[in-house]
Amino acid sequence: MSAPVRGRSTRVRPASNRRPKSAEYRARRRIILRRRLVALLTLLTVVGLTYSVFFTPLLGVHQVDVRGSVVLTEDEVRATAAIEPGSPLVRLDLRGIHDRVAAMPRVAAVEVERQLPGTVRLLITERVPVGSVKLSDGYHLIDATGKDYAVLATAAPGAPELFLAAPSPEDPATRAVVGVVNNLPEKLRPEVLQVAATSGADVKLTLAGNRVVKWGSADDTPRKAAVLQVLLTRPGTTYDVSAPELATVS
């Protein structure tokens, strides 16, 4: 008599148990896909904006705003700055722009600023003459540093004529003269017509009324100026304040 055949038993889960898990799986999958889509769109947006900002005229230069120029024209400054219209604002070489404009002889200082969405602002400070030196080719303007920065056909208005053989910031006579002129009190400035020196220790001022002041070096200029203002109340043609403690009038 043959033995009964044992069949493999199969446990069948009720359909009611499968449906919730399948629905939960699909819900999780939708969330994952949604997150991936959001991440992809965010990445594409960042890439697109970055490309637009750095490589297209979207945030490019549309205006170069020049402030502070007096003698220089705005077009002269713009031409020297050489900023290409439409250049991406964030990629501008600000140091290069600064150096080009700062190299202009009349420019004492310059600041370069980005102004969104498309403006570059150049803030200019021009040199101001403390006096002018007459040489063979005209009147050379000298600023507060002793720099010879421009040549005019006539002397600088409102500034004394300077007598210097070789005006430059490295010349001791130039440094002494501008050191004195820079520190003269406002009340005394209109009286000064000429300032001369051949070295750093023999500055001489010529005032209105053919009065001469022996100043000496630029040392102690504020004190010398204070003494001179007292001496000018006395009649005389030559005032010596080179040693302010021993000042004389003759």
Side-chain angles (χ1 to χ4, degrees):
M1 188 172 181
S2 61
V5 178
R6 296 181 180 179
R8 181 181 298 175
S9 62
T10 303
R11 182 177 297 176
V12 179
R13 296 181 180 179
S16 58
N17 291 339
R18 293 200 307 270
R19 287 194 193 98
K21 291 187 177 181
S22 178
E24 182 181 347
Y25 171 78
R26 288 196 298 271
R28 285 201 306 269
R29 185 170 179 80
R30 282 197 298 271
I31 292 172
I32 293 171
L33 290 175
R34 189 180 302 116
R35 288 176 177 172
R36 289 177 178 175
L37 179 59
V38 170
L40 179 60
L41 291 176
T42 301
L43 177 62
L44 292 175
T45 300
V46 171
V47 171
L49 287 174
T50 301
Y51 181 82
S52 298
V53 169
F54 281 86
F55 301 102
T56 75
L58 178 64
L59 288 180
V61 178
H62 302 297
Q63 180 183 10
V64 178
D65 182 21
V66 179
R67 303 284 182 91
S69 59
V70 179
V71 178
L72 292 170
T73 67
E74 294 182 6
D75 287 341
E76 285 176 320
V77 176
R78 291 191 186 99
T80 302
I83 302 172
E84 190 69 26
S87 301
L89 199 63
V90 297
R91 294 178 61 197
L92 283 178
D93 178 10
L94 298 188
R95 172 53 59 183
I97 295 169
H98 171 277
D99 291 347
R100 288 193 292 274
V101 176
M104 300 179 77
R106 282 190 175 272
V107 174
V110 58
E111 295 180 23
V112 184
E113 299 177 350
R114 295 185 182 98
Q115 300 283 327
L116 292 175
T119 298
V120 177
R121 178 167 293 167
L122 304 177
L123 305 174
I124 303 295
T125 302
E126 289 191 15
R127 298 184 188 277
V128 177
V130 298
S132 53
V133 180
K134 186 178 181 180
L135 299 177
S136 59
D137 57 344
Y139 288 88
H140 289 237
L141 303 186
I142 309 299
D143 77 349
T145 69
K147 182 177 177 61
D148 177 352
Y149 68 92
V151 182
L152 300 179
T154 58
E161 184 176 356
L162 310 180
F163 289 84
L164 296 164
S168 79
E170 292 74 34
D171 174 46
T174 302
R175 290 199 302 268
V177 164
V178 298
V180 171
V181 176
N182 287 339
N183 290 287
L184 288 176
E186 290 298 325
K187 186 176 180 180
L188 189 57
R189 287 177 183 271
E191 297 287 322
V192 181
L193 303 181
Q194 299 174 345
V195 185
T198 59
S199 71
D202 65 348
V203 178
K204 183 175 70 175
L205 280 58
T206 300
L207 308 183
N210 291 321
R211 294 169 296 173
V212 174
V213 181
K214 295 180 179 179
W215 202 273
S217 72
D219 297 338
D220 250 354
T221 285
R223 185 182 177 193
K224 292 175 181 178
V227 171
L228 177 62
Q229 290 183 88
V230 174
L231 293 182
L232 288 176
T233 61
R234 305 177 187 176
T237 57
T238 302
Y239 300 81
D240 189 341
V241 295
S242 56
E245 65 280 1
L246 300 172
T248 62
V249 180
S250 59

